[in-house]
Amino acid sequence: MPPRQRLTPAARRAQLLAVGARLFAAHPYADVLMEEVAEQAGVSRALLYRHFPSKQALFAAVYREAADRLLAETRFDPADSLVEQLVQGMDVHLDYFVANRNAVLAANRVLAGDPVIQTIMTNELDALRARLLAVLPLADEGTREAVSGVLKSWLVFVQVLCVDWLARETCTRAELRDVCIGAVLGALRPLLAEDPAPDWPRHGPGAGAGDAPDRGE
């Protein structure tokens, strides 16, 4: 165990979250031991449990921090086209999913019934839906309600599809992203007065939208 550093409670919590995030990303949930978290953080198990009473509580705090960071990094700017905004948002999330495969699979499978984890994911999806609604051209309240329902279902579809892709990659990352983007554009077109992406579909997988590099392939 490395020598213990004197830290404020907030700094100690941040350190433990960083160690936990690293271990949950590197190993399946069942293989992460609180003893190892304490050892790598250079603290006693008693101190770790004072901050996080269980492994589940530590994981939930790690996942909440990740969800907050993903929301902060996902930009929906009306100055960009809808496709550009969707590509940026998908890339931010796929970057995290690929780098933290074990943690994402744990949240969506091992801990799928945990109400705290479910609340974290639901809150993030609701925030993403609200941001998308804010940048879409909605003619009236009826259209808004219809589009909101479509976006809610689409975000769950993306979540399920991405988790399945992490478990066994049946297509490339670029194809996965384009399937997700194509799905929401196709669902929105009947509801909007103007086509939100007249240049979509693209010709060939991964083409267009500025040909941004597909990180993680």
Side-chain angles (χ1 to χ4, degrees), residues 74-144:
T74 301
R75 302 186 307 272
F76 290 117
D77 186 347
D80 295 332
S81 71
L82 178 59
V83 169
E84 288 172 331
Q85 295 174 70
L86 291 170
V87 166
Q88 191 273 338
M90 285 296 306
D91 276 340
V92 165
H93 281 76
L94 287 173
D95 281 348
Y96 176 79
F97 293 164
V98 170
N100 298 270
R101 182 185 306 263
N102 286 310
V104 175
L105 291 174
N108 287 273
R109 294 191 169 178
V110 180
L111 299 174
D114 183 90
V116 175
I117 300 298
Q118 287 303 310
T119 297
I120 293 168
M121 290 192 286
T122 298
N123 288 344
E124 187 199 0
L125 296 184
D126 285 346
L128 289 170
R129 176 166 48 127
R131 291 188 186 184
L132 280 166
L133 284 170
V135 299
L136 286 169
L138 305 176
D140 50 47
E141 188 58 32
T143 301
R144 180 184 177 83

Side-chain angles (χ1 to χ4, degrees), residues 21-214:
R22 185 171 67 248
L23 290 174
F24 286 126
H27 307 286
Y29 180 80
D31 294 345
V32 177
L33 304 177
M34 290 292 271
E35 291 82 355
E36 186 177 3
V37 176
E39 181 179 353
Q40 291 204 16
V43 302
S44 67
R45 282 182 290 176
L47 178 57
L48 171 60
Y49 280 107
R50 281 205 294 272
H51 284 274
F52 302 102
S54 66
K55 181 169 75 169
Q56 208 159 327
L58 173 61
F59 182 88
V62 166
Y63 212 71
R64 181 179 289 107
E65 187 175 71
D68 290 344
R69 187 171 66 253
L70 287 171
L71 281 174
E73 293 176 358
T74 301
R75 302 186 307 272
F76 290 117
D77 186 347
D80 295 332
S81 71
L82 178 59
V83 169
E84 288 172 331
Q85 295 174 70
L86 291 170
V87 166
Q88 191 273 338
M90 285 296 306
D91 276 340
V92 165
H93 281 76
L94 287 173
D95 281 348
Y96 176 79
F97 293 164
V98 170
N100 298 270
R101 182 185 306 263
N102 286 310
V104 175
L105 291 174
N108 287 273
R109 294 191 169 178
V110 180
L111 299 174
D114 183 90
V116 175
I117 300 298
Q118 287 303 310
T119 297
I120 293 168
M121 290 192 286
T122 298
N123 288 344
E124 187 199 0
L125 296 184
D126 285 346
L128 289 170
R129 176 166 48 127
R131 291 188 186 184
L132 280 166
L133 284 170
V135 299
L136 286 169
L138 305 176
D140 50 47
E141 188 58 32
T143 301
R144 180 184 177 83
E145 289 185 11
V147 169
S148 179
V150 166
L151 292 176
K152 182 176 182 178
S153 298
W154 174 71
L155 287 164
V156 173
F157 163 79
V158 170
Q159 181 182 20
V160 172
L161 188 61
C162 288
V163 170
D164 286 347
W165 179 79
L166 286 174
R168 53 189 193 95
E169 296 181 19
T170 53
C171 62
T172 68
R173 172 178 161 155
E175 289 167 342
L176 172 69
R177 188 187 68 186
D178 283 1
V179 165
C180 293
I181 294 173
V184 72
L185 293 177
L188 290 175
R189 278 184 171 125
L191 300 174
L192 301 179
E194 295 184 9
D195 191 329
D199 295 332
W200 191 280
R202 307 189 240 194
H203 299 290
D211 291 323
D214 289 300

